[in-house]
Amino acid sequence: MGATTVPAPDSPESRRYNQIRRWLGITDFVAGFALLVLLLATGWNGTLRDFALRAAFQNYTLAVAAYVLILMALAKLLGLGLDYYGFRLEHRFHLSNQRLRAWMWDEVKGFLVGLVFIVVIVEVLYFMLREFPQHWWLLTWAVFLGLFVLLAQLAPVILFPIFYKFEPLQDDELKQRLVRLGERAGTRVRGVYKWNLSEKSTKANAALTGLGSTRRIILADTLLANYSPDEIEAVLAHELGHHVHKHILKGIAMQAVMTLLGFWAANWGLHYAVDRLRLFDELSDFANLPLLALVVTVFSFLALPALNAFSRFNERQADRYAFESIASVEPFISSMNKLAEQNLAERTPSRFVEWYFHSHPAISRRLLAAQAWAKTEG
C-alpha cells in the first residue's frame, strides 16, 4: 500500500470550517427553538391565529395556510442573518462560487417549495384533527409516509431541477461502465446525468437518486473533471451498495417508526395542553401548531444520535460492497482523500462529534477499513 493509503490528519482550515458550520447549525436550532417557546409563552400564537382568520375571512382552511405562511416567514426572517453568514462562510473557505443574487434566488425558491410542502402537511394534519380527533396522529402518519415515498420518487425529476441543471452524460464509455456496475448490483438505472454543481460550488459529489422509473445516477461536473474513471466507479459502487443492502427500504422503515413515535409524542403533548393545561379550547385550534412543532423539534433532537448510528451502519455496509465490487480499493482510498480535501470534510472528528452529528463514519475509519480489506484480500 502506498503513502496515499495513510489517513491524513485534518488541516487547520478543515477543522475551523467544520467547527464554524457546527456552531452555525446549533445556533440556528436554538433560535428556532426560542421562537417557538416565545410564541407560546407570550400568547402571540393566538394573536397570529386571530390575524390569520381575519385575513382569510374566517375560512378555516385558508386561515391554516395563512398561519403557516406567517410562521415560516417569521422563522425565515429570524434565520436570514445566519443563512447569509453560511453563504459567506462557503466563499471564505473557497467552497462556493455562487453570486449573491443567485443565492438569494435559491433562498426564495427554497422558501416557496418548503411552503407548499409544509402547507400540504399541515392542512392534512388539521383536517384529521377536526374529522378524526381520536386517531388523527395515526392517519396523518400514514399520509406522511405516502408523501415521503412520493417525494423520494419525484425529487430527481421535479425538485432537483428547480435548483440545479442536469444533462445526459456525454461520455459513453463511462456511462456504459457505470450502467454495467448498476446491473451487477441488480438495479436498472434509467439514465446517467451530469450535475452542473460547479455553477454554485467547488465541492464534488455523486448519487443514485429516485425510486423505480425515476432512478438515475447523477455525477457532479466537479467530480467528472477531477476524478479518474476508476475513482468515479468506486464512488458509485458505494452508492449502489445502498441499493444492494436495501437501505432505501430500511430507511423508509426506520423513518416510519421514528415518525410514528413523533406523532404519538405530539398527540400526547397536544392532549396534555388541551385537557390538563387548558391552553387551547380544542385539538383543531391551529394556534397549537407551534406546540406541535416544539414537540417534534425536541423529539428530533433526542432521536438524532440513534438515526445517525443507523446511517453510519448503512454506510459501512455500502463501503464493504464497494470493496467487493471494484478491482482494487486504491481508487476508493484516493477518491475518499480527494473528496475530503476538496469538500473540506473532517477526516478525524472527535468521538462525540461523530456520534452525535455525523451520518457517515469518519473518513479515517473508512480508509482504515479499506486498508484492512486490501490486506485480507491480498
Side-chain angles (χ1 to χ4, degrees):
M1 303 290 283
T4 57
T5 64
V6 178
D10 289 323
S11 66
E13 185 180 38
S14 172
R15 286 197 299 270
R16 183 61 179 158
Y17 169 71
N18 284 282
Q19 286 172 356
I20 295 173
R21 279 197 62 189
R22 229 172 352 259
W23 280 109
L24 196 61
I26 292 170
T27 303
D28 186 58
F29 173 84
V30 171
F33 184 88
L35 174 62
L36 295 173
V37 171
L38 182 65
L39 288 170
L40 293 167
T42 59
W44 292 348
N45 58 320
T47 303
L48 292 176
R49 172 206 55 206
D50 296 340
F51 176 80
L53 282 167
R54 288 195 300 272
F57 304 102
Q58 304 301 314
N59 182 290
Y60 183 89
T61 301
L62 291 178
V64 169
Y67 194 67
V68 171
L69 172 60
I70 293 168
L71 292 184
M72 287 189 64
L74 284 174
K76 189 63 180 177
L77 287 173
L78 181 65
L80 194 58
L82 292 174
D83 292 339
Y84 178 72
Y85 183 83
F87 166 74
R88 297 304 307 167
L89 180 69
E90 297 296 303
H91 279 270
R92 173 182 163 187
F93 285 91
H94 310 291
L95 294 172
S96 175
N97 46 29
Q98 188 178 30
R99 295 183 179 276
L100 179 61
R101 181 180 296 179
W103 173 79
M104 292 174 65
W105 179 228
D106 274 354
E107 290 293 301
V108 171
K109 289 188 290 185
F111 178 82
L112 294 176
V113 169
L115 178 64
V116 170
F117 183 73
I118 294 175
V119 164
V120 169
I121 287 291
V122 174
E123 290 286 7
V124 169
L125 186 154
Y126 280 96
F127 173 81
M128 298 299 183
L129 278 165
R130 279 180 293 157
E131 301 297 326
F132 310 100
Q134 294 301 314
H135 304 292
W136 72 270
W137 59 285
L138 283 172
L139 295 170
T140 308
W141 168 73
V143 173
F144 180 87
L145 283 184
L147 288 174
F148 180 80
V149 173
L150 180 64
L151 189 64
Q153 186 172 31
L154 297 181
V157 293
I158 294 180
L159 293 183
F160 293 177
I162 294 175
F163 300 96
Y164 296 98
K165 293 178 183 177
F166 296 89
E167 58 186 83
L169 183 65
Q170 299 301 315
D171 187 334
D172 289 332
E173 183 178 348
L174 178 60
K175 182 194 301 183
Q176 291 305 314
R177 183 173 179 176
L178 298 180
V179 168
R180 286 194 298 269
L181 186 66
E183 290 173 347
R184 292 202 301 272
T187 182
R188 185 179 178 186
V189 175
R190 303 293 178 172
V192 183
Y193 292 84
K194 183 174 79 169
W195 170 15
N196 294 318
L197 184 60
S198 64
E199 294 179 353
K200 301 180 183 182
S201 175
T202 63
K203 295 180 179 180
N205 208 344
L208 178 68
T209 65
L211 295 173
S213 61
T214 66
R215 179 163 291 165
R216 59 192 59 195
I217 295 168
I218 59 173
L219 304 169
D221 53 356
T222 48
L223 188 83
L224 292 166
N226 300 303
Y227 293 70
S228 71
D230 285 345
E231 289 171 333
I232 294 172
E233 184 181 48
V235 171
L236 187 64
H238 166 88
E239 298 300 328
L240 288 167
H242 290 302
H243 166 78
V244 169
H245 289 285
K246 297 180 171 55
H247 290 160
I248 294 176
L249 293 177
K250 292 175 182 177
I252 291 173
M254 171 64 85
Q255 190 71 35
V257 172
M258 299 306 290
T259 52
L260 180 62
L261 291 173
F263 275 114
W264 174 85
N267 182 59
W268 182 90
L270 194 54
H271 272 285
Y272 190 84
V274 173
D275 301 335
R276 295 283 192 89
L277 302 179
R278 307 294 182 185
L279 296 177
F280 309 101
D281 293 332
E282 54 188 353
L283 294 178
S284 59
D285 180 358
F286 58 84
N288 59 37
L289 182 58
L291 175 63
L292 292 174
L294 190 63
V295 172
V296 171
T297 299
V298 171
F299 179 81
S300 300
F301 174 80
L302 296 175
L304 187 59
L307 291 172
N308 279 340
F310 174 73
S311 176
R312 288 194 300 272
F313 175 80
N314 289 345
E315 296 297 332
R316 287 192 292 270
Q317 282 191 326
D319 278 351
R320 181 67 176 260
Y321 176 80
F323 303 158
E324 296 169 348
S325 303
I326 54 182
S328 166
V329 297
E330 285 291 350
F332 178 88
I333 291 171
S334 60
S335 65
M336 286 295 103
N337 278 319
K338 280 186 177 181
L339 286 167
E341 183 176 354
Q342 186 170 356
N343 297 351
L344 281 186
E346 288 180 299
R347 288 182 168 92
T348 55
S350 71
R351 285 189 176 273
F352 173 78
V353 166
E354 183 180 2
W355 171 75
Y356 194 87
F357 292 100
H358 284 210
S359 60
H360 288 59
I363 292 174
S364 59
R365 297 182 194 276
R366 299 175 72 180
L367 294 179
L368 289 172
Q371 293 179 51
W373 169 265
K375 288 178 181 178
T376 57
E377 293 300 300

